[in-house]
Amino acid sequence: MPFTLPSRTPSGPRRRSLLASAASAFVLAGCSAPEPSTDTTGGSLSAADRARARAARDSETLAGRYAVVIDAHPALAEALRPLRAEVVRHAEAFGAAGSRSSASATPAASPSASPSVSPSASASLAVSDRPKDALRDLAAAERALADERTKALLDVPGELARLLASVAAAGAAHAYVLREWAK
């Protein structure tokens, strides 16, 4: 009589199921509500609030740079509008005031029409006459901001750190795409 092993069906969840559940929990943790500020001394803003406000301003300024480049090089508008829209959403995620109106504003309008750049600031943003150089400049601005946000991760609490990391990764991807377009 041959010896056969009984079929062994696992009684609990499989390893892949557990890994998928853990990954899902990690992703959902990054989508939770912002943490309240805990460092409120004397009515001043906490370090996290200051970092969030700075990140919002930086994103608004970058959206303004996109608008200025689009004004200077209308042929790039179709390619740059989605990237600019992402930057505007980043500003909104950081709590920028007035970003909703800038998301619907047409970037091909005058730079002063965008709430992210004042008329005097847009005059100081020089745009290269060559579209490829303008793309390289935008890529450099995206890369510098992504690097700055990556460094800031160490000084902010968990939820804001996750948001900064996500936006920094998106900025690095934008920089890569812009550099490729400039080739």
Side-chain angles (χ1 to χ4, degrees):
M1 176 171 193
F3 180 72
T4 59
L5 293 174
S7 70
R8 187 168 175 217
T9 306
S11 60
R14 295 181 183 226
R15 186 180 334 171
R16 287 184 185 164
S17 300
L18 289 175
L19 290 174
S21 297
S24 298
F26 179 71
V27 168
L28 289 176
C31 298
S32 62
E35 296 173 351
S37 301
T38 56
D39 180 22
T40 54
T41 55
S44 65
L45 291 175
S46 70
D49 290 337
R50 286 189 305 271
R52 185 180 296 276
R54 179 177 178 151
R57 280 191 315 271
D58 290 345
S59 289
E60 287 179 323
T61 300
L62 185 59
R65 288 183 71 104
Y66 272 95
V68 171
V69 170
I70 289 170
D71 280 347
H73 302 288
L76 298 175
E78 187 175 338
L80 293 180
R81 277 192 187 112
L83 296 179
R84 182 183 185 275
E86 278 294 312
V87 172
V88 168
R89 282 191 289 276
H90 296 160
E92 289 173 357
F94 289 120
S99 291
R100 294 232 182 261
S101 63
S102 67
S104 61
T106 57
S110 71
S112 59
S114 171
S116 58
V117 178
S118 67
S120 61
S122 64
S124 67
L125 293 175
V127 178
S128 174
D129 292 336
R130 296 180 49 206
K132 288 187 178 204
D133 289 342
L135 289 173
R136 283 187 196 101
D137 292 344
L138 269 177
E142 283 272 17
R143 184 76 240 173
L145 188 54
D147 290 346
E148 184 178 312
R149 287 176 171 163
T150 301
K151 289 176 188 171
L153 292 175
L154 299 174
D155 302 325
V156 295
E159 182 63 28
L160 182 55
R162 284 187 289 273
L163 180 58
L164 277 172
S166 176
V167 173
H174 289 181
Y176 174 79
V177 168
L178 291 166
R179 277 193 316 268
E180 289 298 309
W181 288 345
K183 288 184 179 178

